[in-house]
Amino acid sequence: WRLFCFLCALPCVASAILGYYYVPESPRWLCTHGRTQEALAILKRAARVNGHRSRDSHADRTRTRSDFPYPDGLQIESTSVPKEEQHSLNFARLLNKKWRMLTLKLWGTWLSFAVGYLGTVLIISRVFSASSDKGGGKGPGHQQLQDGDMLDTQTARYYDFDYRAIFQSCAGEVLGLTMAVFTIDRFGRIPTQVVSYAGGGLSLFLLCYFADNDNSNFKSEQQEQAPTRYYILVLLSFVARAFEMGATCVTWVSTAEILTTEIRTSGHSAANAIARLGSMMIPYLLVESTPLTTVGYFMLFVHIFAIMCSLQLPETNGVAMGAGMAKTS
């Protein structure tokens, strides 16, 4: 598992390095710091990449409105933030009167989606596994057996995972991402989040309801004994992963669009930190001794809470960046 974690970390490191050198700075942020020429250069480069001609490349008589990277008459002006105010742009400002309610709603959404997503992963792994006692333990740690199963050497408990079913459920995330891409602009950010969280919560509840609470009857070799029930569980786990992925993707996009430039970085990172707290708590909440039916009710409540928080957020589809905040003010 150490090698697997290392390989998963490589794309993150590579994207961070490439992003530092190739992702341009925000023109809005540059303008707030008086660096208008740099902002203009980035806008012109973006115009060229999107097939628009620069204002300076042709005579006025040859230009049409569609050639311009920004509307006629728009001027890039400095809106520098005073130094004393720049120092106040920290996480504490997220809880002042202007931002407090929006921040709490975002934190509630992010906490819910972290608990929901990681909870889904843990529940599916539990449903498609079996365990049995093997005698006295030998000390802390796990030992991999020849057939690929795991033995907890402290409790001498034997774990058998149905890796095929777990992999099939993971494939649902591809569908969830695809659905989010095609629905986020057509139906809006908030409706897409609400439907995705509702679908994820319902499918997780049904998955826990239909699965055995003793967690011992769903090994892959027993698939032939109850094929209908087995495939229902696989289908529900697939659907749950799809809805969870769609919901989280839209929440990421919506958050960046809701927050204005002055607070976007701090607000987004703070919401992400709240989500990490939820991720750390969920393994202690979904312990193996808790019946799956109880787990299902808990996850259903988490998703209802996510829906309630999402419904309180402003819709940003077709709205200028940061303008969604004006609706809540």
Side-chain angles (χ1 to χ4, degrees), residues 138 141-146 148-153:
K138 301 178 181 179
H142 292 80
Q143 176 185 351
Q144 184 170 0
L145 305 180
Q146 292 182 354
D149 298 326
M150 299 300 297
L151 176 66
D152 189 327
T153 57

Side-chain angles (χ1 to χ4, degrees), residues 108-128:
T109 304
W110 279 72
L111 179 67
S112 301
F113 101 56
V115 172
Y117 180 83
L118 185 57
T120 301
V121 175
L122 296 178
I123 290 171
I124 292 174
S125 299
R126 176 177 168 182
V127 168
F128 294 106

Side-chain angles (χ1 to χ4, degrees), residues 133-211:
D133 293 326
K134 290 292 183 180
K138 301 178 181 179
H142 292 80
Q143 176 185 351
Q144 184 170 0
L145 305 180
Q146 292 182 354
D147 58 1
D149 298 326
M150 299 300 297
L151 176 66
D152 189 327
T153 57
Q154 184 174 15
T155 62
R157 197 165 182 80
Y158 171 83
Y159 292 90
D160 180 17
F161 293 94
D162 187 345
Y163 291 103
R164 184 174 69 172
I166 295 175
F167 176 80
Q168 290 171 340
S169 70
C170 293
E173 295 197 2
V174 178
L175 175 63
L177 177 60
T178 304
M179 290 192 305
V181 169
F182 286 99
T183 59
I184 188 172
D185 288 328
R186 182 171 183 178
F187 299 106
R189 279 60 167 156
I190 304 305
T192 303
Q193 287 183 82
V194 170
V195 171
S196 298
Y197 284 123
L202 181 60
S203 55
L204 271 180
F205 174 77
L206 294 176
L207 176 65
C208 294
Y209 179 81
F210 286 113

Side-chain angles (χ1 to χ4, degrees), residues 247-296:
T248 56
C249 289
V250 179
T251 299
W252 275 86
V253 173
S254 176
T255 301
E257 294 178 342
I258 291 174
L259 299 171
T260 60
T261 302
E262 62 177 305
I263 209 72
R264 183 172 297 122
T265 302
S266 299
H268 211 298
S269 57
N272 202 346
I274 294 296
R276 296 318 105 196
L277 291 177
S279 300
M280 290 188 291
M281 292 188 301
I282 192 64
Y284 299 97
L285 297 175
L286 303 184
V287 294
E288 188 176 3
S289 59
T290 305
L292 278 174
T293 303
T294 303
V295 172

Side-chain angles (χ1 to χ4, degrees), residues 4-329:
F4 179 74
C5 290
F6 174 77
L7 295 176
C8 290
L10 289 180
C12 299
V13 176
S15 62
I17 296 174
L18 294 175
Y20 179 80
Y21 287 102
Y22 294 103
V23 176
E25 185 56 82
S26 166
R28 290 171 178 260
W29 182 86
L30 291 173
C31 288
T32 61
H33 288 72
R35 298 158 62 178
T36 56
Q37 293 303 314
E38 295 178 56
L40 184 59
I42 292 175
L43 289 175
K44 288 183 177 180
R45 184 169 59 182
R48 290 194 299 269
V49 170
N50 288 285
H52 294 283
R53 292 174 292 179
S54 172
R55 288 177 177 270
D56 303 326
S57 59
H58 296 279
D60 290 342
R61 63 178 181 275
T62 64
R63 288 184 260 169
T64 62
R65 190 174 186 83
S66 61
D67 293 329
F68 297 150
Y70 39 80
D72 288 331
L74 180 66
Q75 296 181 351
I76 305 297
E77 298 180 353
S78 173
T79 55
S80 299
V81 180
K83 290 184 177 181
E84 59 274 11
E85 188 175 347
Q86 291 182 23
H87 292 299
S88 67
L89 298 179
N90 51 32
F91 290 106
R93 192 180 180 195
L94 295 173
L95 297 177
N96 66 16
K97 183 178 180 180
K98 179 180 179 181
W99 304 103
R100 185 184 304 120
M101 292 306 300
L102 178 63
T103 296
L104 294 178
K105 294 170 186 176
L106 287 173
W107 285 2
T109 304
W110 279 72
L111 179 67
S112 301
F113 101 56
V115 172
Y117 180 83
L118 185 57
T120 301
V121 175
L122 296 178
I123 290 171
I124 292 174
S125 299
R126 176 177 168 182
V127 168
F128 294 106
S129 67
S131 60
S132 60
D133 293 326
K134 290 292 183 180
K138 301 178 181 179
H142 292 80
Q143 176 185 351
Q144 184 170 0
L145 305 180
Q146 292 182 354
D147 58 1
D149 298 326
M150 299 300 297
L151 176 66
D152 189 327
T153 57
Q154 184 174 15
T155 62
R157 197 165 182 80
Y158 171 83
Y159 292 90
D160 180 17
F161 293 94
D162 187 345
Y163 291 103
R164 184 174 69 172
I166 295 175
F167 176 80
Q168 290 171 340
S169 70
C170 293
E173 295 197 2
V174 178
L175 175 63
L177 177 60
T178 304
M179 290 192 305
V181 169
F182 286 99
T183 59
I184 188 172
D185 288 328
R186 182 171 183 178
F187 299 106
R189 279 60 167 156
I190 304 305
T192 303
Q193 287 183 82
V194 170
V195 171
S196 298
Y197 284 123
L202 181 60
S203 55
L204 271 180
F205 174 77
L206 294 176
L207 176 65
C208 294
Y209 179 81
F210 286 113
D212 253 352
N213 288 346
D214 63 5
N215 193 34
S216 60
N217 294 326
F218 298 104
K219 294 190 294 183
S220 58
E221 60 265 23
Q222 294 183 351
Q223 173 182 344
E224 297 180 358
Q225 299 180 10
T228 302
R229 191 178 187 187
Y230 176 85
Y231 288 122
I232 289 176
L233 293 176
V234 173
L235 177 61
L236 287 173
S237 63
F238 179 90
V239 173
R241 291 292 287 262
F243 277 122
E244 293 297 329
M245 173 56 68
T248 56
C249 289
V250 179
T251 299
W252 275 86
V253 173
S254 176
T255 301
E257 294 178 342
I258 291 174
L259 299 171
T260 60
T261 302
E262 62 177 305
I263 209 72
R264 183 172 297 122
T265 302
S266 299
H268 211 298
S269 57
N272 202 346
I274 294 296
R276 296 318 105 196
L277 291 177
S279 300
M280 290 188 291
M281 292 188 301
I282 192 64
Y284 299 97
L285 297 175
L286 303 184
V287 294
E288 188 176 3
S289 59
T290 305
L292 278 174
T293 303
T294 303
V295 172
Y297 279 111
F298 171 75
M299 296 303 292
L300 185 61
F301 169 78
V302 168
H303 286 75
I304 292 175
F305 181 72
I307 292 173
M308 294 173 59
C309 293
S310 299
L311 287 173
Q312 300 299 315
L313 299 175
E315 176 60 64
T316 57
N317 187 24
V319 180
M321 290 285 288
M325 178 57 191
K327 298 180 179 181
T328 63
S329 301

